[in-house]
Amino acid sequence: MADSPRDGIQLAVSTVIFALREHPDTGLSAVWIPLVRRIKEPFLDRWALPGGWVTEPESLADAAARNLLETTGVQPSYLEQLYAFGDVERSTSSRVVSIVYWALVRADQAEQATDGDNVRWFPADHLPELAFDHNVIIEYALWRLRTKVEYSRIAHALLGETFTLTELRNVHEAILRKPLDPANFRRQVEGSLQPTDAVVSGGRHRPPRLYRYNANTELVDNGPLSHEKTGSTRVIS
Amino acid sequence: MADSPRDGIQLAVSTVIFALREHPDTGLSAVWIPLVRRIKEPFLDRWALPGGWVTEPESLADAAARNLLETTGVQPSYLEQLYAFGDVERSTSSRVVSIVYWALVRADQAEQATDGDNVRWFPADHLPELAFDHNVIIEYALWRLRTKVEYSRIAHALLGETFTLTELRNVHEAILRKPLDPANFRRQVEGSLQPTDAVVSGGRHRPPRLYRYNANTELVDNGPLSHEKTGSTRVIS
DNA sequence: ACAAAAGTGTTGGTGCTACACCCATGA
DNA sequence: TCATGGGTGTAGCACCAACACTTTTGT
């Protein structure tokens, strides 16, 4: 083992941010991603994942959250480490190792990142050609989102504290891009939900009940949860 | 975004190596882990995961494989990224971010790391107090190994090219620490196996057939496999 | 009354667990 | 022929998808 690291390797964090918006083609709710325009070489003017360098006194998750806020204004309700990308040739200039996170933001949080010259939202299935290996990274993050939504309660992070079963189902349908049977969906999730006393009136139909997540019910699959102490995953809201 | 990274952060790779050996208490096959003795501060003389610094022209997986070979002599048949650990206080001296891999080695490969002053094998359920946060890391790696063995074909990496169903089942039992029904185990795995013409004679019972993995059968859950191009996961043997 | 969505019941299929049972070999 | 593990068959149960059906509101 060498006595000290060779420098020249730059350590970055980036984050794939997911929010739901109406899809321009189908009109249904769909997954969108905010990207930032690169303002220097390499890949000048290309769209890229928000991110930046890790500075001294912060954990990796803190660095991801800070860079997120600085570049897009977004404060996510869920943040989880995705993968460390470190191939030699992934940046054309110098050697960069990126630790990538993925995040979920609610509609109200997403409004903090308004489209402009340097930030723009894209539908996840209509991305331009991005800087570096960011297209590959996003594909992997989408795969992770879609597999995880089926066995965990992350959809919660895209909604407010209380929600109807139809709202929750719409989140799942937007992520999985397929309709779900309302009757079966109810039975799948109701074990981890607590009904509230409130209902939503105003629609021209039977008023649906509002639910909240049952804090007692833990996930079956914990993923990095068993060492959430290390700051790997967190639910901010 | 700052113009360049602040240095003072050291980038390391470490690997949790798994092999099977007889457990001293039960006499059954069990998971063992080789550790290396630290030869400098901090945590001088404590046992730790094999690892080292990332040098310029190699991918993260290559760096892990190289450090593995240099410190323990082991060349694994399976290597996969586990997690990036980067809490500020995890090293008492300077700031270290460690990208941790986990590896599987066959019995013959494990012999390369013979017990000595600086390398020693420990049963996974009887580890000493290790340097840094390495106890936590190993617990997470064990969780990953145990969950992944149930839905993927990684047990393959702990056996030779051909093997009997009982051998394969013993690998699963050692990892999961519980007996499995031979009849049901067969049905679970036989879809991804190809029977060979050979059988093993010599036991005082019906000679079991030898099987090999069916290369056509892909995993259902791909994990980081969908971007194996990035060198994330690899089956070396 | 009717439309629309909320919510419940039911049925058929699929897959898994537990365990009974037969098979092939060495001693 | 007996002991031993290899290998097959099967009944019971849990779970799940599909879809019929009832409930409750607004108009």
Side-chain angles (χ1 to χ4, degrees):
Chain A
M1 194 191 300
D3 247 40
S4 69
R6 315 249 189 98
D7 270 329
I9 299 179
Q10 303 185 307
L11 185 63
V13 288
S14 299
T15 304
V16 183
I17 303 168
F18 295 120
L20 298 185
R21 291 187 174 189
E22 188 177 298
H23 195 285
D25 299 345
T26 65
L28 299 171
S29 190
V31 176
W32 290 64
I33 298 169
L35 298 172
V36 298
R37 190 190 294 278
R38 282 190 60 80
I39 53 173
K40 58 180 195 294
E41 294 287 352
F43 296 104
L44 176 65
D45 280 336
R46 285 271 192 100
W47 296 102
L49 291 171
W53 309 115
V54 181
T55 61
E56 268 285 3
E58 61 192 354
S59 72
L60 297 174
D62 287 343
R66 179 182 55 76
N67 275 299
L68 216 57
L69 186 60
E70 289 175 3
T71 53
T72 65
V74 162
Q75 283 191 290
S77 50
Y78 182 80
L79 186 65
E80 176 184 323
Q81 192 182 110
L82 178 67
Y83 200 75
F85 294 84
D87 274 12
V88 177
E89 72 284 357
R90 57 187 294 275
S91 173
T92 49
S93 52
S94 63
R95 176 76 189 278
V96 178
V97 170
S98 289
I99 296 172
V100 178
Y101 281 72
W102 61 285
L104 299 177
V105 300
R106 295 190 302 268
D108 61 285
Q109 297 167 325
E111 285 171 17
Q112 298 304 311
T114 51
D115 277 19
D117 273 359
N118 296 322
V119 178
R120 187 180 300 172
W121 288 83
F122 295 86
D125 57 359
H126 278 88
L127 296 175
E129 198 170 327
L130 305 182
F132 307 108
D133 49 2
H134 289 189
N135 287 94
V136 172
I137 292 176
I138 290 178
E139 279 312 306
Y140 183 47
L142 275 166
W143 173 85
R144 187 105 176 78
L145 168 66
R146 288 181 177 134
T147 53
K148 190 150 191 173
V149 79
E150 301 208 79
Y151 64 85
S152 88
R153 310 182 322 198
I154 48 163
H156 174 208
L158 291 167
L159 295 169
E161 200 203 346
T162 62
F163 44 85
T164 68
L165 278 168
T166 298
E167 288 171 341
L168 183 61
R169 179 167 50 84
N170 284 340
V171 171
H172 282 247
E173 289 177 340
I175 292 171
L176 299 174
R177 295 171 300 177
K178 65 180 181 189
L180 300 172
D181 184 301
N184 296 330
F185 181 79
R186 159 183 298 273
R187 279 183 286 256
Q188 278 178 18
V189 300
E190 70 184 351
S192 61
L193 296 184
Q194 275 184 337
T196 67
D197 294 338
V199 292
V200 179
S201 56
R204 52 165 170 266
H205 52 76
R206 176 171 172 177
R209 185 172 293 278
L210 284 171
Y211 295 83
R212 63 162 40 86
Y213 268 99
N214 181 353
N216 305 342
T217 316
E218 277 310 317
L219 298 172
V220 174
D221 179 318
N222 288 341
L225 185 138
S226 56
H227 55 134
E228 236 161 32
K229 313 136 196 172
T230 63
S232 63
T233 303
R234 47 178 166 171
V235 178
I236 292 121
S237 158
Chain B
M1 195 191 300
D3 246 38
S4 71
R6 317 247 189 98
D7 270 331
I9 298 179
Q10 302 184 308
L11 185 63
V13 288
S14 299
T15 304
V16 184
I17 304 167
F18 295 120
L20 298 184
R21 288 187 176 190
E22 188 177 297
H23 195 284
D25 299 345
T26 65
L28 299 171
S29 190
V31 176
W32 290 65
I33 298 169
L35 298 172
V36 298
R37 189 191 295 278
R38 282 190 60 80
I39 54 173
K40 58 181 197 292
E41 293 289 355
F43 296 105
L44 177 65
D45 279 338
R46 285 272 191 99
W47 295 103
L49 291 172
W53 309 114
V54 181
T55 60
E56 268 284 2
E58 61 192 353
S59 74
L60 297 174
D62 287 343
R66 179 182 54 77
N67 275 299
L68 216 59
L69 187 59
E70 288 175 3
T71 54
T72 64
V74 163
Q75 284 191 289
S77 50
Y78 182 79
L79 186 65
E80 177 183 324
Q81 191 183 109
L82 177 68
Y83 201 75
F85 294 85
D87 274 12
V88 176
E89 72 283 2
R90 55 187 297 274
S91 173
T92 50
S93 52
S94 63
R95 175 78 189 280
V96 178
V97 170
S98 289
I99 296 171
V100 178
Y101 281 72
W102 62 285
L104 299 177
V105 301
R106 294 190 303 267
D108 61 285
Q109 297 167 325
E111 285 171 16
Q112 299 303 312
T114 51
D115 277 19
D117 274 359
N118 296 323
V119 178
R120 190 180 299 172
W121 287 83
F122 295 87
D125 57 359
H126 278 87
L127 295 174
E129 198 171 326
L130 305 183
F132 308 106
D133 49 1
H134 288 189
N135 287 94
V136 172
I137 292 175
I138 290 177
E139 280 311 306
Y140 183 48
L142 274 166
W143 173 85
R144 188 104 177 77
L145 169 65
R146 288 180 177 134
T147 54
K148 189 148 191 175
V149 80
E150 301 207 80
Y151 66 85
S152 89
R153 310 182 321 196
I154 49 164
H156 175 207
L158 292 166
L159 294 169
E161 198 204 346
T162 62
F163 44 85
T164 68
L165 278 168
T166 298
E167 288 170 341
L168 183 61
R169 179 167 50 83
N170 285 338
V171 170
H172 283 246
E173 289 178 339
I175 292 171
L176 299 174
R177 294 171 303 177
K178 67 180 180 191
L180 301 172
D181 184 302
N184 296 330
F185 180 78
R186 159 184 298 275
R187 280 184 285 256
Q188 278 178 20
V189 300
E190 68 185 352
S192 60
L193 296 183
Q194 275 186 335
T196 67
D197 294 337
V199 292
V200 179
S201 56
R204 51 164 170 268
H205 52 77
R206 175 172 171 174
R209 184 171 295 278
L210 283 172
Y211 295 83
R212 61 161 41 84
Y213 268 99
N214 182 350
N216 305 342
T217 316
E218 277 310 316
L219 297 172
V220 174
D221 179 316
N222 287 339
L225 185 136
S226 57
H227 53 133
E228 232 161 35
K229 315 137 195 172
T230 64
S232 63
T233 303
R234 48 178 165 171
V235 179
I236 294 120
S237 160

